[in-house]
């Protein structure tokens, strides 16, 4: 079953034996849920908001990164999005310059009605790569903006979140991003930007490593590898042989793309794979042992503690 909403719903507390939980594929999960994370739709484009498929979008961002080099960018932290209904995003809005207090942040509210009328010209992702730092903040759960924010070669100030998706599970704090304490967002952002502007080489390296991760580890080849391995392993658990129902209607590329019009059709054509690669899928590594998982968690916690001490 594929669930297309945000927060996980398969509660771990309801299944003392995780193996008895129903396998539900979803875009993200947290520590209290057992949903199986799966790539979200935007890897194949989001035509309603003018976002092209991931491969093409990466190329557009790369060109913008070349046009405006990191040291030449505005020395602030940038975020733009919809804050309505999300408490943590309203906390972020307070980090704009207010009452003479400079928090080193430039935060903008996305006006969807204006953006739609304007064809999202003022919201194009590549054109947002003009700031030295980018802020990532959750929405209803994980946010689809995550991979785009990380692609700019700018250090990502990642407001800590309980949610995980296929990208964030591989990120290392202090290497791929700079963690921001959600308890005091503005103070944490100000410190991060001040630190980065005083340690330009180290800050630039974090930005480059984060962008390299999304370009290489989140390439479409690996996205398809992940999907293949995940569904193959899932298939091994089936206790019955699937059959095609009598009145089932076969869906193929043509039946989906041919009736589509405008941006939807353009997105489908842009994201269509036109060749078969000449190499095998990546090798599925063994699961983490409890010891290795603990080492990773401990290392992450240590980075957070060290940064908290630095912030004072």
């Amino acid at each position: 079953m594929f669930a297309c909403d945000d927060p996980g719903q398969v509660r771990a507390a309801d299944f003392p034996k995780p193996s008895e939980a129903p396998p539900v594929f979803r875009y993200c999960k947290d520590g209290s849920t057992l949903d199986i994370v799966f790539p979200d739709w935007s890897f194949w484009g989001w035509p309603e908001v003018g976002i092209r498929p991931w491969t093409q979008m990466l190329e557009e961002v790369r060109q913008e990164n070349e046009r405006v080099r990191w040291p030449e960018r505005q020395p602030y932290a940038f975020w733009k999005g919809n804050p309505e209904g999300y408490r943590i995003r309203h906390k972020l809005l307070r980090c704009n310059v207010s009452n003479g207090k400079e928090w080193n942040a430039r935060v903008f509210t996305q006006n969807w009605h204006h953006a739609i009328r304007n064809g999202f010209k003022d919201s194009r992702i590549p054109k947002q790569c003009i700031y030295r730092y980018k802020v990532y903040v959750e929405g209803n759960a994980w946010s689809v903006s995550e991979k785009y924010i990380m692609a700019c070669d700018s250090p990502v100030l990642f407001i800590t979140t309980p949610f995980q998706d296929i990208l964030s599970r591989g990120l290392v704090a202090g290497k791929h991003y700079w963690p921001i304490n959600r308890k005091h967002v503005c103070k944490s952002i100000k410190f991060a930007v001040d630190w980065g502007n005083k340690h330009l080489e180290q800050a630039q390296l974090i930005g480059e490593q984060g962008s390299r991760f999304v370009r290489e580890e989140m390439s479409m080849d690996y996205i398809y590898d992940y999907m293949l391995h995940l569904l193959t392993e899932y298939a091994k658990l089936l206790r019955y042989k699937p059959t095609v129902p009598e009145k089932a209607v076969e869906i193929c590329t043509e039946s989906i793309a041919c009736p589509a019009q405008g941006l939807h059709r353009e997105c489908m054509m842009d994201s269509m794979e036109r060749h078969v690669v000449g190499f095998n899928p990546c090798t599925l590594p063994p699961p983490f042992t409890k010891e290795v998982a603990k080492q990773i968690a401990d290392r992450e916690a240590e980075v957070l503690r060290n940064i908290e001490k630095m912030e004072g």
Side-chain angles (χ1 to χ4, degrees):
M1 180 183 294
F2 290 85
C4 298
D5 52 353
D6 292 339
Q9 297 293 330
V10 184
R11 297 176 63 247
D14 295 337
F15 301 95
K17 291 184 178 180
S19 60
E20 296 179 355
V24 177
F25 297 93
R26 195 181 296 268
Y27 302 139
C28 76
K29 67 181 294 296
D30 62 19
S32 68
T33 56
L34 298 172
D35 301 70
I36 304 167
V37 293
F38 201 79
D40 71 90
W41 75 95
S42 66
F43 281 101
W44 293 269
W46 191 357
E48 291 84 357
V49 296
I51 294 179
R52 300 182 68 196
W54 179 229
T55 301
Q56 288 87 347
M57 184 58 69
L58 275 178
E59 176 57 23
E60 290 184 19
V61 172
R62 185 196 66 77
Q63 292 177 14
E64 189 65 15
N65 289 343
E66 291 288 330
R67 189 183 72 83
V68 185
R69 296 290 186 174
W70 187 78
E72 302 164 1
R73 298 178 186 181
Q74 297 183 40
Y76 303 106
F78 170 87
W79 181 82
K80 184 174 184 177
N82 175 25
E84 295 308 316
Y86 311 126
R87 181 179 299 178
I88 187 65
R89 292 188 174 186
H90 278 281
K91 288 180 68 174
L92 177 59
L93 288 179
R94 299 174 194 158
C95 302
N96 268 324
V97 179
S98 59
N99 299 323
K101 183 67 174 179
E102 173 63 80
W103 296 107
N104 295 338
R106 299 296 182 263
V107 183
F108 301 89
T109 297
Q110 173 75 293
N111 184 318
W112 285 103
H113 296 295
H114 171 75
I116 292 171
R117 289 195 303 270
N118 194 37
F120 291 91
K121 292 179 182 178
D122 297 331
S123 305
R124 292 189 64 246
I125 290 170
K127 296 302 180 184
Q128 296 179 8
C129 297
I130 60 173
Y131 291 85
R132 281 190 192 167
Y133 310 90
K134 300 290 293 294
V135 177
Y136 171 77
V137 59
E138 69 193 46
N140 187 35
W142 132 101
S143 172
V144 74
S145 64
E146 182 182 39
K147 58 183 174 292
Y148 306 113
I149 288 173
M150 294 203 65
C152 275
D153 279 351
S154 292
V156 173
L157 309 186
F158 202 110
I159 299 177
T160 52
T161 175
F163 300 106
Q164 294 183 332
D165 59 277
I166 64 167
L167 191 165
S168 63
R169 292 192 304 182
L171 298 178
V172 178
K175 178 181 179 180
H176 300 124
Y177 69 93
W178 183 282
I180 296 298
N181 193 321
R182 66 187 293 127
K183 294 180 181 178
H184 42 79
V185 173
C186 299
K187 173 187 173 184
S188 196
I189 287 176
K190 176 172 172 49
F191 177 85
V193 173
D194 283 341
W195 181 90
N197 288 337
K198 291 177 183 176
H199 303 82
L200 293 176
E201 289 186 7
Q202 292 167 267
Q204 186 172 5
L205 180 61
I206 293 174
E208 290 173 349
Q209 289 176 154
S211 290
R212 189 179 306 120
F213 182 90
V214 296
R215 284 196 301 268
E216 297 177 0
E217 301 299 321
M218 290 289 118
S219 70
M220 287 308 297
D221 282 340
Y222 282 153
I223 294 299
Y224 284 122
D225 282 356
Y226 177 87
M227 294 165 64
L228 173 66
H229 284 309
L230 183 60
L231 295 175
T232 300
E233 292 300 308
Y234 169 68
K236 293 177 183 177
L237 302 177
L238 295 180
R239 298 177 182 175
Y240 65 94
K241 184 176 181 179
T243 57
V244 179
E246 287 185 15
K247 297 183 180 181
V249 177
E250 182 177 354
I251 295 176
C252 62
T253 304
E254 289 78 8
S255 65
I256 295 175
C258 291
Q261 301 293 327
L263 289 175
H264 286 84
R265 181 184 178 88
E266 186 178 320
C267 232
M268 290 181 184
M269 298 306 295
D270 284 347
S271 63
M272 183 174 67
E273 299 296 336
R274 291 173 170 79
H275 68 281
V276 177
V277 296
F279 50 86
N280 292 325
C282 64
T283 302
L284 186 67
F288 288 140
T289 63
K290 289 184 178 180
E291 291 75 17
V292 172
K294 185 177 184 304
Q295 289 173 6
I296 294 173
D298 289 347
R299 184 176 64 231
E300 195 88 354
E302 183 179 4
V303 171
L304 295 176
R305 284 195 300 270
N306 289 339
I307 290 178
E308 195 165 346
K309 288 179 182 177
M310 291 167 64
E311 291 178 354

